[in-house]
Amino acid sequence: MVIKKICCIGAGYVGGPTCSVIAYKCPHIQVTVCDRNHDRIEQWNSSKLPIYEPGLEEIVKECRNRNLFYTIDMDSAIQEADLIFISVNTPTKTFGIGKGRGADLKFVEACARKIACLSVGKKIVVEKSTVPVHAAHSILRILKANTHPDVEFQVLSNPEFLSEGTAVNDLLNPDRILIGGDQSPEGQKAVEELCWVYSHWIPKERIITTNTWSSELSKLAANAFLAQRISSINAMSAICEATGADVSEVSQAVGMDSRIGSKFLQASVGFGGSCFQKDLLNLVYISECLHLPEVAAYWQKVIDMNEYQKSRFASRIVEQLFNTITDKHLAILGFAFKKNTGDTRESPAIYICKYLLEEGAHLHIYDPKVEPKQVILDLTSPFVTDDPEGIKTQLEIHDDPYSAVQDTHAIVICTEWDEFISLDYKRMYDSMLKPAFLFDGRKITDHTELTKIGFQVDVIGQRIRNGRPKGSAAVEEIHTYC
C-alpha cells in the first residue's frame, strides 16, 4: 500500500499540529483532520486558530485547502483514508472503577467502532492518543468484531512527545519518532508504511520501531520521568528555603552533571498541562492493577509533591498578606499552565486562584493568550466551586497587565511568559496599594531590582531578606516562600 490519504480523528492539541506538519512536509499526501466539534473545525478554517503554538499559523495557512483539510464530515474522511490517526481525548475517569486514576477510553472505543463500520479495503489505524498498555489490542478486537468482509486492519502505536509551546519545532525536529506494531509480517509492513511518511523529513536513525506494548508504555514512562524531575527540584526548593541555599544555584550545579542534564530542573509553583498528571495517575492505576503497590506508591509521590508545592505557594501568599486576604485585590499574571500556549488544563494557576478565592480575595487576571471565557469556565467549574455566580463577582479579566495590577495589594506570577520579565514594575508599584507584594511563582523576575523599587518580594526556592538574596546587607526579617 502507498499512503496517499491520511485521516486524523480529533482536531485538538495533538491532531491539529501533527497533521499540519505532515501535510507541510508531505505535499503529495492529502491530510484531512476531522472532528465532531463544529466550532473547532470552523476555527481551524478561519484566521484565528483554536490553539496557539509558535509557527503553527504559518504552516496551516500554507497547506490549508491545498493538501490539508479540516472537516466535520468524518465518514467520508474515514472511508477515503489509507491511514487513520486516532487523536482524541483520553481523560482521567471521573466515576466507576479506576475513578480519579484510570484513563477513560470511551472516545477511543467510539472511534474504533466508527472506523470498523465505515471502512473498506485495507486500513492502518494508528493510536496517537496517550493510552494504557494493551489499548491497541482492545482497538483491534473492536475492529475485527465489527468489520465487513474483505476489510483488513493493522493497529499501530505512535505516541506523540510534544511539548506545548514548542510543538511545531518538536514535530519538525523531533528527538525520536516511536512506532510500535504487531510482530507479524503484516504488522511490520504497516510499521514500514508509517515510517515512510515520517522519513520525508526525519532521519532514519531517529525513527524507532518496537512492539506495540513497549511503544504504549514508553509514552507514559517519558512523561512520568519528566514530571519526576520537576517534583524533585521542587522538593529541593523547600529545603533551599529552609537552609538559605538558592535552588537556581543547586539546579545549575546538578544540571551540569552529564549524567543528569539541565532540562526540567527549574523550580516553580508546579507542573500542569493535559499529560503529566493524567499519565502519572494512569501509571499508578496500571501498577495497582498489576499488583505492584510499591511501584504505584512511588509514582503517586511525584503527584503528591506537585500538590504540596502548589499548596505551599498559595498558603504563603495569605501568610505574607498578614494572614488574611478577605476583600483584598490580587493581580494574577499568567493563567496558562506554561508560556507560549493558551492551554489551561491542570494549570497551577487554577489551584492558586481557587485557594485565593476561597479565602475571599478579588482576583484581577491577565494572560496574553488565554481567552477570558476560558478563565471563567475553569474557575466556575464544579471542581473549583459550588457557587459559580458568586465566584464571578470576585473575578475581573484584563487585556493589559498594567490595568490588572491597578489598586491591588499584590502581584502573583503564575506563568513564565517572557513579557513578564520586561514589564515596567516601577509603574506597577506606583499604581498599587502599599505595602506592595510580589510573589514570583516562576522565578523569572529580577528580585533585587524589585526590592529597590519597594516591593516585598517572595520567590520560590530562595530565602529573601527584604527582597534580596541572603548575603546582602539587608538585616530585616527573612521571607521564605514556596
Side-chain angles (χ1 to χ4, degrees):
M1 179 197 304
V2 176
I3 295 175
K4 296 180 179 179
K5 293 185 177 182
I6 292 175
C7 163
C8 177
I9 304 176
Y13 279 90
V14 175
T18 298
C19 287
S20 298
V21 170
I22 289 176
Y24 177 64
K25 288 296 186 177
C26 305
H28 57 287
I29 297 178
Q30 178 179 309
V31 181
T32 303
V33 182
C34 51
D35 200 295
R36 65 183 183 181
N37 187 321
H38 188 272
D39 291 340
R40 179 178 292 172
I41 291 299
E42 279 193 343
Q43 285 182 292
W44 278 110
N45 284 315
S46 72
S47 59
K48 187 175 182 180
L49 303 184
I51 64 175
Y52 172 75
E53 280 290 339
L56 179 60
E57 183 178 354
E58 293 78 6
I59 288 176
V60 171
K61 284 183 177 179
E62 180 173 335
C63 301
R64 189 170 53 199
N65 298 325
R66 182 193 71 186
N67 69 318
L68 175 62
F69 303 92
Y70 300 95
T71 181
I72 59 171
D73 185 3
M74 194 176 298
D75 292 9
S76 297
I78 290 173
Q79 289 171 341
E80 296 176 3
D82 303 307
L83 183 147
I84 303 168
F85 284 115
I86 297 178
S87 298
V88 295
N89 193 19
T90 53
T92 302
K93 293 184 70 173
T94 57
F95 59 89
I97 297 174
K99 175 184 176 181
R101 292 170 298 170
D104 189 342
L105 300 183
K106 63 182 179 182
F107 299 123
V108 173
E109 181 177 336
C111 288
R113 294 184 182 279
K114 194 169 190 67
I115 293 169
C117 178
L118 296 169
S119 292
V120 293
K122 295 182 178 180
K123 302 284 186 185
I124 298 174
V125 179
V126 184
E127 54 174 23
K128 200 73 177 170
S129 304
T130 303
V131 293
V133 180
H134 287 188
H137 180 64
S138 300
I139 293 171
L140 185 59
R141 287 179 62 190
I142 293 170
L143 292 172
K144 288 184 174 180
N146 295 275
T147 192
H148 303 293
D150 302 321
V151 178
E152 295 181 21
F153 293 105
Q154 286 296 323
V155 179
L156 305 180
S157 169
N158 176 216
E160 52 82 18
F161 295 98
L162 308 181
S163 177
E164 289 189 44
T166 61
V168 171
N169 184 65
D170 294 341
L171 288 162
L172 293 173
N173 304 287
D175 293 329
R176 79 291 201 195
I177 293 294
L178 179 60
I179 301 172
D182 187 76
Q183 299 302 292
S184 67
E186 296 80 7
Q188 290 306 294
K189 179 61 177 176
V191 169
E192 290 175 9
E193 295 285 356
L194 185 52
C195 287
W196 174 79
V197 173
Y198 285 115
S199 68
H200 284 76
W201 77 97
I202 297 169
K204 183 178 180 180
E205 59 270 18
R206 292 193 197 174
I207 302 176
I208 303 171
T209 60
T210 68
N211 68 46
T212 310
W213 325 135
S214 295
S215 177
E216 291 176 331
L217 184 57
S218 294
K219 168 61 177 178
L220 297 179
N223 279 344
F225 278 44
L226 293 173
Q228 179 196 50
R229 287 173 67 90
I230 297 172
S231 282
S232 293
I233 196 64
N234 282 342
M236 294 306 302
S237 74
I239 297 175
C240 287
E241 293 158 14
T243 61
D246 185 333
V247 74
S248 294
E249 295 174 348
V250 172
S251 174
Q252 181 184 19
V254 171
M256 290 182 71
D257 188 323
S258 60
R259 299 168 299 174
I260 299 173
S262 60
K263 293 184 177 180
F264 284 79
L265 289 181
Q266 175 62 48
S268 69
V269 67
F271 59 75
S274 65
C275 292
F276 283 1
Q277 178 149 318
K278 180 186 72 172
D279 291 354
L280 278 166
L281 288 168
N282 196 355
L283 197 56
V284 170
Y285 182 60
I286 290 171
S287 300
E288 291 176 343
C289 291
L290 295 173
H291 307 293
L292 301 170
E294 292 81 6
V295 176
Y298 176 82
W299 291 113
Q300 180 63 49
K301 285 300 180 183
V302 176
I303 301 171
D304 294 345
M305 185 65 232
N306 194 55
E307 295 303 309
Y308 173 61
Q309 187 78 341
K310 291 184 288 187
S311 176
R312 290 199 313 133
F313 181 74
S315 61
R316 182 62 180 173
I317 294 171
V318 176
E319 179 185 337
Q320 288 296 291
L321 290 173
F322 313 109
N323 289 310
T324 180
I325 57 172
T326 303
D327 291 331
K328 289 182 179 177
H329 292 255
L330 280 66
I332 307 296
L333 297 187
F335 198 79
F337 84 91
K338 62 183 289 189
K339 71 176 183 178
N340 293 334
T341 181
D343 193 357
T344 65
R345 288 175 292 180
E346 300 294 341
S347 174
I350 296 175
Y351 176 92
I352 302 305
C353 290
K354 176 180 182 294
Y355 187 99
L356 300 177
L357 290 167
E358 289 175 347
E359 291 289 329
H362 294 267
L363 304 184
H364 301 260
I365 301 172
Y366 167 76
D367 189 286
K369 292 300 178 182
V370 178
E371 295 290 336
K373 63 181 180 181
Q374 185 62 52
V375 177
I376 299 296
L377 183 65
D378 286 334
L379 295 181
T380 57
S381 75
F383 298 103
V384 173
T385 181
D386 55 7
D387 182 21
E389 294 305 315
I391 288 297
K392 289 179 182 179
T393 64
Q394 296 175 252
L395 296 175
E396 186 171 344
I397 315 301
H398 297 257
D399 58 8
D400 173 76
Y402 298 101
S403 67
V405 305
Q406 180 79 37
D407 296 325
T408 59
H409 295 79
I411 296 172
V412 182
I413 298 177
C414 290
T415 310
E416 72 280 19
W417 286 103
D418 290 341
E419 70 176 71
F420 295 163
I421 299 173
S422 56
L423 291 173
D424 186 345
Y425 284 101
K426 177 63 168 64
R427 173 184 169 187
M428 288 182 162
Y429 177 80
D430 290 342
S431 72
M432 295 173 65
L433 301 179
K434 308 299 184 297
F437 292 82
L438 187 144
F439 300 90
D440 188 350
R442 295 290 180 170
K443 214 170 189 298
I444 60 171
T445 57
D446 185 336
H447 312 121
T448 301
E449 185 60 32
L450 290 172
T451 302
K452 291 179 180 177
I453 291 172
F455 280 104
Q456 301 293 309
V457 181
D458 278 298
V459 54
I460 280 178
Q462 186 179 357
R463 279 187 174 182
I464 297 293
R465 287 183 174 176
N466 199 25
R468 283 170 286 184
K470 183 181 180 183
S472 66
V475 291
E476 305 208 7
E477 178 185 1
I478 293 176
H479 297 299
T480 326
Y481 108 77
C482 109

